[in-house]
Amino acid sequence: SRSSRGVSSRGMNLISKYIMTLDFLSSLSKKKGYCIYDGSRTLRSSTDNVPDAPGVYIISDHNGVIIYIGKAGTIRQDGSFKSQGLHGRLNNKQKDIARQEYFDSRMSAESIPQIRIDWYELNEGIIPGYIEGLLIQEYYHANKVLPRWNESF
């Protein structure tokens, strides 16, 4: 069935579920924010506002479509985190090339003029890999595929 705005009831349920997921994610976060990368500045300068702390991030294309879900920070057996936080992870490497080069290449190949990176610094005691898994599970449940830049999980 269709609502008065032309969105199917299934579509409305997915939108509601997505909003609930973001509310849930916000409740687990110490800080949250976003940055835009369009290649006009370096990735490092575009991500200046991103803390170097454990967390998760969601990358969307210029149409708002989620194209990647990732995490920063791995918990060790003793409960401490490895040092790479969100800022470091976003500026490190992907597929053995600099992340900026990877983004530039994918954006060019897919005619994406800019990406939005929403980041969430997680509260102490929250394991980033667990939250990344929940986000990917929700995306997979709604779309039956992974985000297109996530090759596996």
Side-chain angles (χ1 to χ4, degrees):
S1 75
R2 297 249 172 217
S3 73
S4 61
R5 294 186 184 175
V7 177
S8 70
S9 58
R10 182 177 189 287
M12 289 302 291
N13 288 339
L14 291 176
I15 291 167
S16 297
K17 193 167 193 170
Y18 180 70
I19 290 168
M20 287 180 3
T21 300
L22 291 181
D23 286 344
F24 169 70
L25 185 54
S26 293
S27 74
L28 300 176
S29 302
K30 211 183 271 194
K31 246 202 271 191
K32 66 181 181 173
Y34 73 92
C35 56
I36 303 293
Y37 176 68
D38 63 7
S40 66
R41 299 177 5 188
T42 66
L43 180 60
R44 188 163 300 281
S45 65
S46 296
T47 58
D48 274 349
N49 71 329
V50 180
D52 211 23
V56 295
Y57 56 96
I58 301 169
I59 301 176
S60 304
D61 69 13
H62 60 293
N63 293 314
V65 175
I66 294 172
I67 57 178
Y68 189 82
I69 297 170
K71 69 164 176 76
T74 302
I75 194 165
R76 294 185 176 117
Q77 193 280 328
D78 68 1
S80 65
F81 282 92
K82 287 187 179 179
S83 61
Q84 190 178 58
L86 287 161
H87 189 265
R89 179 71 183 120
L90 288 170
N91 287 282
N92 201 349
K93 292 185 174 187
Q94 184 159 342
K95 297 182 137 274
D96 296 322
I97 61 171
R99 183 67 67 111
Q100 179 173 327
E101 189 179 327
Y102 177 80
F103 285 170
D104 289 345
S105 172
R106 293 295 300 254
M107 290 167 66
S108 175
E110 298 178 33
S111 299
I112 299 172
Q114 71 177 30
I115 55 174
R116 176 181 166 130
I117 304 168
D118 287 276
W119 55 265
Y120 299 83
E121 178 184 346
L122 297 174
N123 292 330
E124 193 171 322
I126 306 293
I127 300 171
Y130 175 68
I131 302 305
E132 176 194 34
L134 288 175
L135 293 171
I136 288 176
Q137 178 62 55
E138 287 297 319
Y139 185 94
Y140 182 79
H141 179 73
N143 299 285
K144 306 300 183 231
V145 296
L146 295 177
R148 66 183 187 254
W149 290 8
N150 285 91
E151 294 183 6
S152 63
F153 185 76

